[in-house]
Amino acid sequence: MDADEYFKNLHEYIAGIDEELKAEKALYEKRLSVCKECGLLLEGMCRSCGCYVELRAVMAKNKCPNDRW
């Protein structure tokens, strides 16, 4: 699976998550902006924990493994 297809699938998966489990859109966007500035981000993946940051950031209960959000 190429990167474009992977991210398409990831976005479809995120869209299907129950809204009650998701962070509010503004919080999600803020989390992603912090990740985009992080030196540990590589092609959408956190090199600290190995997660895809879009998936980690969308879940309300999650936090950054480096306490950046």
Side-chain angles (χ1 to χ4, degrees):
M1 177 181 307
D2 69 7
D4 289 336
E5 187 176 345
Y6 178 83
F7 282 105
K8 180 182 178 226
N9 288 339
L10 177 63
H11 293 147
E12 288 173 359
Y13 178 79
I14 288 171
I17 295 172
D18 187 340
E19 292 297 320
E20 292 180 5
L21 301 175
K22 290 182 182 179
E24 292 184 19
K25 184 170 176 66
L27 178 59
Y28 173 63
E29 295 296 330
K30 182 178 179 182
R31 288 174 171 184
L32 289 181
S33 70
V34 171
C35 291
K36 287 177 184 175
E37 298 298 319
C38 181
L40 295 171
L41 182 65
L42 178 65
E43 298 178 8
M45 183 183 289
C46 174
R47 291 184 295 161
S48 178
C49 70
C51 78
Y52 281 95
V53 298
E54 289 184 62
L55 187 54
R56 179 181 288 274
V58 78
M59 300 302 292
K61 68 178 180 91
N62 288 349
K63 64 178 190 164
C64 171
N66 297 301
D67 295 323
R68 293 190 174 134
W69 50 259

